[in-house]
Amino acid sequence: MSQIFHEIEKKIINSLQKKLEQTPEQLSESTELSIDQIRRGIEWLRLKGLAQVNESSKVTISLGKNGIDAFKNGLPERKLMELIKDTPKTFDDVRTMLSGVGFNAAIANAKKNGWIKIDKTDSGTKISTKEKPVETPEEKLILFIGEGTISEKQIENKLALKFLLERPDYLIQSTQKIKIITLTEKASQIDTTLSDSGAIDVEADAALVYAARTHPLKDTIDEIREIFVKLGFSEIQGALTQSSFWNFDALFTPQDHPARELQDTFYIENVKSENHASSTQIKEVSKSHSQNWHYDWKLSESQKMVLRTHTTCATIRYLAEQKPDQARIFSLGRVFRNEKVSYKHLVEFNQIEGIVIGNNTTLRDLMGIQKEFYKQLGLTKIKFWPTFFPYTEPSLQTMVYNEKLGKWIELFGMGIFRSEVTKPLGIDKPVLAWGGGIERIAMLKYELDDVREFYNNNLNWLRSV
Ligand code: PHE
């Protein structure tokens, strides 16, 4: 697995691969990074499960004020022995010569060591050497510590340590928390391929973070929805499964129309739609078909359930139920067609669809709305082309120029609902309608020439757009 590491992480890993256990301070030294950078780097590596931090405490010893004096000039008992080396001295002499400080300690320790003897004479109490004063363990310890700081563990003679600790200001004992950093097994294998330069490249690329994001197709859907809302439209919804009645018959699509054939439409097996329309609606639609298309309209054919092939079923149902005098409505959602999947066709895709109903609405208004919609999407090179739908007259097709492909792409279909559609359902105002595929628009937006890319879950592409 390849991973992207920050320069700081690389240096820490590299150093720990060479020397397995290090404190942050040691790492700072070996990597030439500041202690703050080291702390940050350790934390990143720890979160990635690449480094471990073991905390332990360490007791250290250094000399205090009296200890330093003893290191330089000897312990008071040693000073005392110097004073009486040649001739015995009285208590008073010694007290003044030792200038009082440490006098009691000097006597007590020299006695304890068996170095002196004390005799009461006529001229006062005399102190004289009893035994040659050999170097004591305490003296050895003071020399060993010297002016540095050592770990308590290094001291072998614990008794000497105990005695010195009991004497005032000889030793400073402190407890330090230390962190030992090690790499986890995973990290010891990592090849950081560190450059030889010890300098930190402040312009190096930061690790890329791919935060969660919405799918580009979802972004397009949201954008389109927002444009229609801004243009004063309200959204309606429809079910994905529909009776053939609303998907086809109500839209004046004859029962032998090729679009209704099995190779174009997904039918739901063994389900018959009941009560999807009123008896008047069924009677009037049936009449419209028989009279105008001249064939024998069958109820059973209209009861077949389908996966909706367009969103126009939602539109026509809304019109039949609400019969509004004035409205701006849109509907958006998934539709299904039994197509061979290719670079421009999917079996499931999304459509947007809208209607305007009101007084004095003309085809020109419809074209104006289309132009405005495309403009908001940044598409300005458009033209209208005559086409055919069973339910609109006249019928137009919008074409948009795709600069990248260098060709005209068919986008929305539109027209004015025929009276053969509206009259049977009791709608007597002219209805402007249009609709089309959203993936096509998204393809233009993302400059794709294969619609399947939206569903490929290609992370590289998804991250790049
Ligand atoms: N339903 C048509 C289609 O699926 C689009 C359309 C909607 C055409 C409304 C005219 C009116 O392509």
Side-chain angles (χ1 to χ4, degrees):
M1 186 189 68
S2 82
Q3 244 177 315
I4 299 163
F5 291 107
H6 191 280
E7 208 57 27
I8 290 176
E9 294 175 306
K10 284 193 203 170
K11 290 190 176 185
I12 294 175
I13 293 174
N14 218 263
S15 176
L16 284 171
Q17 284 174 342
K18 287 180 195 137
K19 185 163 181 269
L20 304 181
E21 294 188 358
Q22 292 184 59
T23 62
E25 292 72 21
Q26 288 170 322
L27 276 171
S28 169
E29 209 164 294
S30 61
T31 57
E32 293 180 343
L33 294 170
S34 77
I35 194 75
D36 278 341
Q37 290 173 313
I38 292 290
R39 289 203 184 107
R40 248 183 292 144
I42 292 170
E43 195 51 26
W44 296 335
L45 291 171
R46 208 176 57 78
L47 291 173
K48 291 178 183 174
L50 297 174
Q52 274 168 340
V53 180
N54 287 318
E55 265 190 76
S56 59
S57 48
K58 179 179 160 190
V59 181
T60 59
I61 304 285
S62 58
L63 296 178
K65 190 165 83 27
N66 290 337
I68 288 168
D69 182 65
F71 174 67
K72 289 178 179 158
N73 311 308
L75 280 165
E77 54 269 34
R78 178 65 58 191
K79 289 181 192 161
L80 170 69
M81 297 318 285
E82 283 299 309
L83 291 176
I84 61 168
K85 197 164 70 185
D86 302 319
T87 44
K89 298 256 158 48
T90 65
F91 258 68
D92 290 340
D93 290 341
V94 173
R95 186 181 284 121
T96 36
M97 289 170 93
L98 285 178
S99 61
V101 196
F103 169 72
N104 288 332
I107 302 289
N109 286 299
K111 235 172 111 183
K112 190 185 89 194
N113 294 344
W115 289 345
I116 53 166
K117 57 182 195 298
I118 299 162
D119 301 300
K120 286 204 164 93
T121 65
D122 294 344
S123 49
T125 311
K126 286 240 160 112
I127 308 163
S128 54
T129 308
K130 183 180 159 196
E131 223 171 70
K132 190 171 172 268
V134 292
E135 196 181 43
T136 62
E138 285 91 326
E139 286 175 311
K140 282 191 186 136
L141 182 54
I142 287 171
L143 292 177
F144 178 58
I145 300 168
E147 283 173 297
T149 300
I150 61 161
S151 160
E152 196 190 47
K153 283 197 194 126
Q154 291 172 265
I155 300 172
E156 276 167 23
N157 193 328
K158 298 290 183 219
L159 199 64
L161 174 67
K162 182 173 171 278
F163 286 148
L164 276 183
L165 281 169
E166 281 165 4
R167 296 174 71 165
D169 290 334
Y170 278 85
L171 297 182
I172 300 170
Q173 188 185 36
S174 59
T175 309
Q176 268 184 355
K177 289 237 174 292
I178 53 161
K179 289 183 177 168
I180 299 289
I181 320 301
T182 51
L183 291 179
T184 59
E185 210 182 304
K186 208 159 69 172
S188 41
Q189 318 295 335
I190 291 170
D191 176 12
T192 56
T193 52
L194 186 67
S195 70
D196 323 315
S197 134
I200 303 164
D201 181 1
V202 290
E203 285 174 359
D205 288 341
L208 283 173
V209 175
Y210 296 108
R213 57 155 298 173
T214 47
H215 192 279
L217 192 57
K218 174 79 166 58
D219 286 345
T220 310
I221 291 172
D222 290 343
E223 190 183 350
I224 291 174
R225 176 178 276 127
E226 221 161 279
I227 293 174
F228 277 109
V229 170
K230 259 201 283 185
L231 292 174
F233 286 78
S234 309
E235 186 171 356
I236 57 163
Q237 259 152 18
L240 299 184
T241 56
Q242 294 282 342
S243 60
S244 291
F245 183 86
W246 290 112
N247 195 80
F248 296 121
D249 297 293
L251 287 162
F252 198 52
T253 306
Q255 293 187 330
D256 64 352
H257 192 280
R260 296 178 73 144
E261 278 171 27
L262 213 57
Q263 63 265 31
D264 285 299
T265 299
F266 292 110
Y267 284 88
I268 301 170
E269 232 173 3
N270 304 326
V271 188
K272 227 168 79 180
S273 179
E274 311 271 2
N275 307 322
H276 49 267
S278 71
S279 52
T280 323
Q281 286 170 330
I282 292 172
K283 200 178 86 207
E284 291 302 317
V285 167
S286 157
K287 214 162 81 187
S288 178
H289 278 247
S290 332
Q291 284 178 1
N292 298 298
W293 291 119
H294 308 291
Y295 73 101
D296 189 12
W297 189 84
K298 287 198 186 70
L299 178 67
S300 61
E301 205 53 43
S302 76
Q303 286 176 311
K304 287 183 179 168
M305 289 293 288
V306 299
L307 295 183
R308 67 178 185 187
T309 62
H310 53 185
T311 39
T312 319
C313 50
T315 308
I316 196 65
R317 236 182 144 155
Y318 168 84
L319 286 171
E321 274 159 25
Q322 306 293 324
K323 301 185 181 58
D325 278 338
Q326 250 181 325
R328 284 181 164 228
I329 297 296
F330 77 96
S331 176
L332 190 159
R334 209 161 254 237
V335 301
F336 307 84
R337 290 191 194 167
N338 197 358
E339 307 240 24
K340 191 167 165 13
V341 173
S342 72
Y343 72 96
K344 60 175 179 175
H345 290 299
L346 294 167
V347 286
E348 285 184 58
F349 60 100
N350 290 279
Q351 272 197 338
I352 169 83
E353 149 121 12
I355 47 163
V356 174
I357 179 165
N359 298 317
N360 312 318
T361 39
T362 65
L363 200 63
R364 194 177 285 273
D365 298 320
L366 185 51
M367 289 156 85
I369 291 168
Q370 301 298 292
K371 274 192 179 156
E372 184 55 33
F373 169 70
Y374 290 123
K375 202 176 107 194
Q376 302 252 352
L377 281 170
L379 305 169
T380 46
K381 202 166 170 184
I382 64 166
K383 64 181 179 186
F384 298 98
W385 210 250
T387 188
F388 175 81
F389 297 105
Y391 34 92
T392 49
E393 180 61 35
S395 302
L396 294 176
Q397 184 83 52
T398 328
M399 311 281 278
V400 174
Y401 192 72
N402 183 333
E403 301 287 347
K404 197 190 168 204
L405 298 181
K407 64 178 186 190
W408 290 92
I409 309 281
E410 291 171 14
L411 278 186
F412 290 181
M414 59 177 179
I416 300 176
F417 277 138
R418 301 173 74 116
S419 58
E420 289 91 336
V421 173
T422 51
K423 268 228 188 85
L425 298 169
I427 306 151
D428 37 43
K429 290 264 158 55
V431 181
L432 311 177
W434 75 92
I438 288 177
E439 277 80 351
R440 290 230 171 148
I441 292 175
M443 280 169 81
L444 287 169
K445 188 171 160 191
Y446 294 101
E447 299 194 325
L448 289 185
D449 38 32
D450 191 332
V451 66
R452 290 170 291 197
E453 191 65 1
F454 288 119
Y455 296 92
N456 279 344
N457 294 330
N458 175 350
L459 285 184
N460 280 340
W461 177 71
L462 290 170
R463 282 167 173 166
S464 71
V465 293

